[in-house]
């Protein structure tokens, strides 16, 4: 990919790039909607992601190109307005540029820019965090600034929250920044504090991308965020992480039915993350798998961010030999299911699940056998 982006840069801009960076996509392993509630979460960086190449310009222009759009877009450095329509992918690098001053860092004025990706779109593998981190690293290298990983992660999240306008937590950017091959990233989102947990060698990941997306997905994510904050307020805590499962249970009659369900999901899910870390340390992948499936059931019934398509895949996978567990991954309301399997689970079994899905829903999910990868880096 490094050669590929260098060649494309040359073709588009007629010269060599000065800096090339890469940042991975991620799988949300367990900890659904816990991040913005101050909770804990486990994710895996994958061996696919976004590559960014840049070179400085002296005329103050910023010339963007990505293999996803295939057209050059030129903006003056003074243009900071959010883009709409076809060029809205530029909001990720623009959001990063706009975030830099908040971290006492300098944004480059003019530059040529190319981004390429080998992440499947709409699979909930967080191409947005990957482009934010790869862009952030590239812009900072171009201006000779070297932030630590945590700052880079926070710049990405700042861009997403304040420029793109999604009230996400720190999971996606944190995993893309701190990922490590053959490890999961553990994030205590309150600090935030980042750590890695070794993944047993026999752990295998599969993604089933349904390509379904609820028409109101962004609004629904924001609605869940709001409901969680309201539930925390009703419980007398600033974030749901501060409430125990017992406190939530005791407050059941005081909370609206929805507030109770959202709060119960979050506090139980935070407990499951801790149990998953303990089970991983023991190498007990069956126990981990049960927690993954329990997480999905909680998303399905309590957080209500699943769909019939995702539930069907989890049902099928749970009943399949060599599958430890399965759950929706990411924001929900469509997207993908991930399965944790033993190495004995192979393509034939995955295709059988896809066959059953196609029979019911009339379309096939994409199947991806994922490998873990390293976090964002300059190449
Ligand atoms: C999306 C967000 C994350 C996180 C997950 C749900 O992926 O970007 O911050 O909230 O949903 O766990």
């Amino acid at each position: 990919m490094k050669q590929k982006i260098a060649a494309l840069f040359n073709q588009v801009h007629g010269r060599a790039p000065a800096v090339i960076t890469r940042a991975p996509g991620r799988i949300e392993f367990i900890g659904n909607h816990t991040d913005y509630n101050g909770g804990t979460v486990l994710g895996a960086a994958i061996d696919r992601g976004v590559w960014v190449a840049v070179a400085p310009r002296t005329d103050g222009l910023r010339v963007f190109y990505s293999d996803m759009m295939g057209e050059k877009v030129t903006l003056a450095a003074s243009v900071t307005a959010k883009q709409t329509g076809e060029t809205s992918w530029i909001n990720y690098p623009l959001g990063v540029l706009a975030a830099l001053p908040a971290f006492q860092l300098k944004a480059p004025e003019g530059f040529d820019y190319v981004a390429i990706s080998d992440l499947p779109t709409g699979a909930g593998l967080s191409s947005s965090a990957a482009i934010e981190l790869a862009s952030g690293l590239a812009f900072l290298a171009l201006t000779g600034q070297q932030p630590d990983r945590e700052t880079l992660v926070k710049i990405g999240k700042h861009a997403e929250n304040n420029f793109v306008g999604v009230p996400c937590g720190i999971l996606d950017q944190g995993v893309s920044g701190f990922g490590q091959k053959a490890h999961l990233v553990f994030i205590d989102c309150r600090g935030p504090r980042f750590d890695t947990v070794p993944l047993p060698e026999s752990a295998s990941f599969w993604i089933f991308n349904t390509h379904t997306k609820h028409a109101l997905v962004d609004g629904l994510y924001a609605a869940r965020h709001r409901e969680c904050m309201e539930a925390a307020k009703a419980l007398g805590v600033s974030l749901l992480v501060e409430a125990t499962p017992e406190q939530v249970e005791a407050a059941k009659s005081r909370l609206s039915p929805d507030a109770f369900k959202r709060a119960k999901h979050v506090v139980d899910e935070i407990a499951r993350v801790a149990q998953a870390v303990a089970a991983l340390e023991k190498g007990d992948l069956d126990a981990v798998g049960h927690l993954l499936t329990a997480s999905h059931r909680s998303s399905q019934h309590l957080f209500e961010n699943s769909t019939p398509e995702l539930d069907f895949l989890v049902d099928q996978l749970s009943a399949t030999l060599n599958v430890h567990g399965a759950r929706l991954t990411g924001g929900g309301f469509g997207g993908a299911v991930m399965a944790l399997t033993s190495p004995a689970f192979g393509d034939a079994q995955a295709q059988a699940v896809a066959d059953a899905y196609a029979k019911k829903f009339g379309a096939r999910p994409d199947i991806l056998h994922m490998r873990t990868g390293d976090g964002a880096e300059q190449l």
Side-chain angles (χ1 to χ4, degrees):
M1 290 296 270
K2 191 179 173 189
Q3 278 78 15
K4 186 176 167 191
I5 195 167
L8 183 63
F9 194 96
N10 224 304
Q11 199 184 312
V12 174
H13 297 296
R15 61 196 178 120
V19 175
I20 300 179
T21 60
R22 178 200 67 88
R26 64 99 189 89
I27 297 174
E28 176 192 286
F29 187 74
I30 192 166
N32 194 235
H33 288 257
T34 53
D35 60 357
Y36 57 81
N37 288 299
T40 47
V41 59
L42 281 170
I46 56 175
D47 66 345
R48 292 176 178 230
V50 173
W51 280 253
V52 166
V54 287
R57 287 177 72 103
T58 50
D59 58 2
L61 294 177
R62 294 167 170 176
V63 185
F64 295 94
Y65 181 91
S66 96
D67 67 346
M68 301 155 256
M69 284 324 303
E71 236 177 74
K72 269 205 249 187
V73 182
T74 303
L75 299 176
S78 54
V79 174
T80 52
K82 209 172 151 180
Q83 304 292 300
T84 51
E86 290 246 304
T87 56
S88 55
W89 70 270
I90 298 173
N91 289 329
Y92 298 108
L94 279 184
V96 167
L97 291 163
L100 293 173
F103 296 86
Q104 283 76 52
L105 292 163
K106 205 164 71 34
E109 286 277 311
F111 53 78
D112 286 333
Y113 173 106
V114 168
I116 63 173
S117 167
D118 66 356
L119 280 171
T121 52
L125 297 172
S126 207
S127 50
S128 54
I131 191 169
E132 285 156 2
L133 267 77
S135 299
L137 257 188
F139 296 147
L140 291 164
L142 200 59
T143 42
Q145 303 170 97
Q146 283 178 331
D148 55 29
R149 242 165 230 286
E150 187 170 329
T151 304
L152 181 68
V153 164
K154 287 179 172 167
I155 290 168
K157 179 174 181 287
H158 190 285
E160 190 82 41
N161 292 161
N162 301 291
F163 196 87
V164 181
V166 180
C168 69
I170 203 160
L171 162 69
D172 306 345
Q173 292 81 11
V175 174
S176 186
F178 282 87
Q180 202 183 317
K181 207 170 172 192
H183 288 72
L184 295 176
V185 179
F186 171 87
I187 311 177
D188 183 340
C189 303
R190 250 187 310 183
R193 182 173 68 80
F194 303 91
D195 208 346
T196 51
V197 179
L199 198 56
E201 235 173 71
S202 61
S204 201
F205 289 112
W206 293 75
I207 292 285
F208 293 78
N209 180 9
T210 65
H211 288 285
T212 57
K213 184 177 170 188
H214 197 293
L216 301 173
V217 65
D218 293 340
L220 285 164
Y221 185 89
R224 288 295 180 277
H225 184 279
R226 197 174 51 245
E227 288 165 2
C228 287
M229 298 307 145
E230 282 164 10
K233 204 167 166 204
L235 284 159
V237 293
S238 56
L239 290 170
L240 283 177
V241 67
E242 290 154 26
T244 61
E246 294 73 27
Q247 275 171 313
V248 172
E249 213 53 62
K252 188 170 182 177
S253 59
R254 283 197 290 117
L255 298 171
S256 72
D258 277 354
F260 173 75
K261 284 194 278 186
R262 309 302 183 241
K264 181 165 169 54
H265 166 81
V266 172
V267 296
D268 288 354
E269 186 74 353
I270 292 170
R272 275 189 287 271
V273 173
Q275 290 161 19
V277 172
L280 281 164
E281 274 163 8
K282 281 194 249 149
D284 186 350
L285 290 181
D286 270 335
V288 176
H290 282 125
L291 291 161
L292 299 182
T293 308
S295 161
H296 182 81
R297 297 303 172 207
S298 179
S299 297
Q300 180 179 356
H301 301 297
L302 296 175
F303 212 69
E304 296 177 296
N305 60 334
S306 187
T307 61
E309 288 87 351
L310 300 175
D311 295 340
F312 181 84
L313 284 172
V314 170
D315 292 345
Q316 291 288 316
L317 285 159
S318 307
T320 302
L321 209 62
N322 304 316
V323 175
H324 295 298
R327 60 183 291 275
L328 68 82
T329 178
F333 307 110
V337 159
M338 71 144 246
L340 176 70
T341 76
S342 74
F345 181 89
D347 217 40
Q349 283 172 300
Q351 292 300 342
V353 170
D355 287 345
Y357 182 94
K359 217 164 148 194
K360 185 161 168 71
F361 295 105
R364 283 186 89 73
D366 281 348
I367 300 170
L368 303 158
H369 188 186
M370 304 274 34
R371 270 172 293 273
T372 55
D374 288 326
E377 60 185 337
Q378 185 177 342
L379 300 171

